[in-house]
Amino acid sequence: DREKLTAPVSTNAVKISNTVVMPKSGTYAVGDASLSFYDDGGKDGKISSKFTGTVTFTPADPSKKVQIDFSKIGLYESSYGSDTYNDKLYVYNGRTATDENLNRQLFNNETAVVKSAADDGSLTVKLTSVTGVPGDGFEAAVSQFTPKAMEFSGIAAEQYAEGTVSAGDTDRPILSVAVTTKNTSPALTASKFSFTTAGTSANVKKATVYYTGINKTFSTAKKVGEAAVSGDAFEVVATEPVNLVEGTNYFWLAYDIADAAKDGTKVDASVASVTLSDGEHAVADGNPAGDLEVRNVVYATIGTQTRTVYGSILFKDQHYESSTYDVYDPEVGDRIVTFLPSKEGNVVQLDF
């Protein structure tokens, strides 16, 4: 006989055999028979206009954990480049939809298997439709699995060679370090990163490591640790060990550029090793090709910044280009830049 679902918390949930149609709220126990899981439109319908729903899946066997295999995802995405009006589909570890519990965000046309990293093995899914434009919805299978201890698979380094840097810049990404794992729990943790500046330490003031989970986009939201750079080799020790997830974990090395960095010089980086809870792992190809050139240009961006002047700096507006316009950035906001002389007794001159 096929297993039956437990009663949902909310009577708004729809239950048909082993099928779950996204409720406004609800909780289901998952047994050995997998559940078919759809958005609120069901298998053949679309997501309802401005729908919001949250559902939690728990393992019927407390020794197991929940996984959700998304085989189809059709979400509305704006064509204007902003995600403000996009449909949002999030999966969280545990029973509450909070930032610290976020397992991953899922996007249009993506497929993914999401496994719980929560102690109780549960996963919570939240779907939000912001606009009145319906997306095609999603299809998924929910099941429970027996967790295995996480194992290290490998490390790959990639140079971040987008644009240039300027003296006094902060948090400029220079290198990504991708740590891959398999299995889920107990999870491995990352605690230390060993780097070199590849001979460019004179242009580097501080180094910071950030973690973006499975997201291969640089962000300063989760800081791992930082270190002053006074020579070629340096280490960044995590303020607290970072729990890894199954798959690819992205760490980023970012530099604060020295105030006296000169035009035409370079900044570079290599990673020598990463220390995990199972030991130190050397990186075979830790010095990928590429570097970033120093070009001392300061842009008038929204906010406040202070720059110390060594030699000369090119000062420019932040430009805005489109198929119709080629003008300065029209976004409203104060753009305040203070220039300080590098030597006592000197003054700063602006030549427009």
Side-chain angles (χ1 to χ4, degrees):
D1 293 337
R2 301 187 75 184
E3 292 190 15
K4 294 182 178 179
L5 302 176
T6 60
V9 168
S10 170
T11 55
N12 292 321
V14 178
K15 180 178 69 172
I16 306 171
S17 182
N18 275 30
T19 297
V20 175
V21 176
M22 186 80 186
K24 290 185 177 179
S25 64
T27 299
Y28 294 90
V30 184
D32 292 331
S34 65
L35 310 179
S36 296
F37 177 37
Y38 304 100
D39 61 275
D40 73 303
K43 180 175 176 59
D44 300 316
K46 294 178 179 289
I47 300 170
S48 299
S49 173
K50 298 185 178 179
F51 172 82
T52 296
T54 304
V55 62
T56 296
F57 296 99
T58 63
D61 183 339
S63 69
K64 296 183 178 182
K65 296 193 175 189
V66 171
Q67 67 177 19
I68 305 176
D69 184 353
F70 289 90
S71 56
K72 174 194 135 180
I73 298 176
L75 303 176
Y76 170 76
E77 288 187 354
S78 170
S79 59
Y80 293 101
S82 170
D83 70 348
T84 303
Y85 299 106
N86 292 354
D87 290 344
K88 305 292 193 306
L89 180 59
Y90 298 103
V91 183
Y92 300 86
N93 295 312
R95 299 169 183 254
T96 54
T98 60
D99 289 344
E100 56 267 28
N101 289 345
L102 181 64
N103 185 305
R104 68 182 296 174
Q105 181 179 1
L106 297 164
F107 297 93
N108 186 45
N109 293 326
E110 186 176 8
T111 60
V113 177
V114 184
K115 296 181 179 180
S116 174
D119 291 339
D120 70 353
S122 62
L123 283 175
T124 295
V125 181
K126 182 177 181 180
L127 171 65
T128 302
S129 174
V130 180
T131 69
V133 181
D136 288 338
F138 63 80
E139 296 181 9
V142 187
S143 59
Q144 61 178 356
F145 70 98
T146 301
K148 296 180 181 179
M150 183 177 286
E151 298 178 12
F152 168 80
S153 296
I155 301 175
E158 185 175 339
Q159 191 80 34
Y160 190 96
E162 182 178 309
T164 59
V165 297
S166 177
D169 278 357
T170 59
D171 280 332
R172 293 302 305 267
I174 185 70
L175 194 71
S176 68
V177 180
V179 180
T180 56
T181 66
K182 61 181 180 180
N183 302 325
T184 57
S185 61
L188 293 173
T189 60
S191 59
K192 186 172 71 173
F193 300 80
S194 298
F195 299 101
T196 79
T197 67
T200 64
S201 61
N203 287 339
V204 182
K205 181 164 52 177
K206 187 177 75 173
T208 306
V209 171
Y210 295 97
Y211 177 60
T212 58
I214 63 171
N215 187 358
K216 195 182 179 181
T217 302
F218 174 70
S219 168
T220 60
K222 185 173 178 59
K223 181 177 176 180
V224 176
E226 65 180 41
V229 176
S230 57
D232 193 49
F234 62 94
E235 293 181 341
V236 176
V237 178
T239 304
E240 59 182 32
V242 178
N243 288 319
L244 303 184
V245 297
E246 183 178 30
T248 304
N249 296 259
Y250 288 98
F251 293 89
W252 300 84
L253 174 65
Y255 283 160
D256 285 6
I257 308 302
D259 292 330
K262 296 180 180 178
D263 266 329
T265 57
K266 307 285 186 180
V267 291
D268 199 357
S270 69
V271 55
S273 68
V274 177
T275 301
L276 306 180
S277 49
D278 66 345
E280 183 177 10
H281 298 273
V283 183
D285 299 310
N287 189 12
D291 51 38
L292 288 174
E293 181 180 358
V294 177
R295 289 188 59 199
N296 286 327
V297 181
V298 173
Y299 293 94
T301 56
I302 290 178
T304 302
Q305 55 180 313
T306 300
R307 298 296 180 116
T308 301
V309 180
Y310 291 79
S312 64
I313 293 176
L314 181 61
F315 182 38
K316 302 179 68 174
D317 64 89
Q318 188 176 25
H319 218 57
Y320 174 83
E321 293 184 19
S322 70
S323 59
T324 307
Y325 301 103
D326 183 8
V327 296
Y328 62 81
D329 184 4
E331 185 177 358
V332 176
D334 291 335
R335 302 164 189 263
I336 302 171
V337 183
T338 301
F339 294 99
L340 302 176
S342 58
K343 294 182 180 180
E344 186 177 353
N346 286 1
V347 296
V348 173
Q349 173 179 301
L350 294 176
D351 184 3
F352 288 93

